[in-house]
Amino acid sequence: MYSLVSVVSAWAIPVLIVLIPLYAVYRKVPVYESFVEGAKDGFDTAVKIIPHLVGMMVAIGVFRASGAMDLLIGWLQPVLARVGVPGEVLPLAILRPITGSGSLAYTADLIGQFGPDSMIGRIASTIQGSTDTTLYVLTVYFGAVGIRKGRYALKVGLFSDLVGFVAAVAICLIVFGTAG
């Protein structure tokens, strides 16, 4: 079964890349012209979201440079330690909704420091896969379509990230044992 999944995984993208243009030619769709038009629309969208991305990057920089993240971690770490949550993964829970690359770098650091089979490595990997970069997603998608009022989406997204964090920790503690 594993070998079948490996073969399908290896060939899925190349087959799609060949089949889609062939199907378009069969349907008499001007493939190159459609591609160029889509690329032009993509470029216009990218230009539209640049101010939103710059604003988000500045806010992230201010949050981290001001010491607010360290203060928040300092408050939460003793409380979470009582229920078995390793304090080392707490910054990841805060970083993940804000920045994908920053959270991935932090996860890599945790795995490099503690190992991929450690409880901290397992929890960090599960958090990385169970949560999303909520602020980035809202900035890009809402900025692209011009939505200005996203407070409910922000609340739901951050709540989903919290649930993903709690579920990741709980599942790792249940499946792999306690952190201690």
Side-chain angles (χ1 to χ4, degrees), residues 61-154:
V62 168
F63 178 70
R64 292 177 75 186
S66 70
M69 186 167 85
D70 295 332
L71 186 64
L72 187 60
I73 290 168
W75 288 341
L76 294 175
Q77 202 164 13
V79 175
L80 293 178
R82 290 185 181 180
V83 293
V85 178
E88 293 84 358
V89 300
L90 189 55
L92 180 60
I94 295 169
L95 278 175
R96 183 68 177 142
I98 299 171
T99 170
S101 58
S103 64
L104 183 59
Y106 189 77
T107 300
D109 287 345
L110 288 176
I111 290 172
Q113 184 177 356
F114 296 100
D117 292 331
S118 68
M119 183 58 72
I120 291 170
R122 289 173 172 163
I123 290 173
S125 298
T126 307
I127 290 168
Q128 190 72 19
S130 302
T131 57
D132 203 354
T133 53
T134 300
L135 298 179
Y136 176 80
V137 167
L138 292 177
T139 299
V140 170
Y141 296 142
F142 283 17
V145 295
I147 295 174
R148 302 232 184 268
K149 296 179 183 176
R151 71 172 179 234
Y152 296 116
L154 177 64

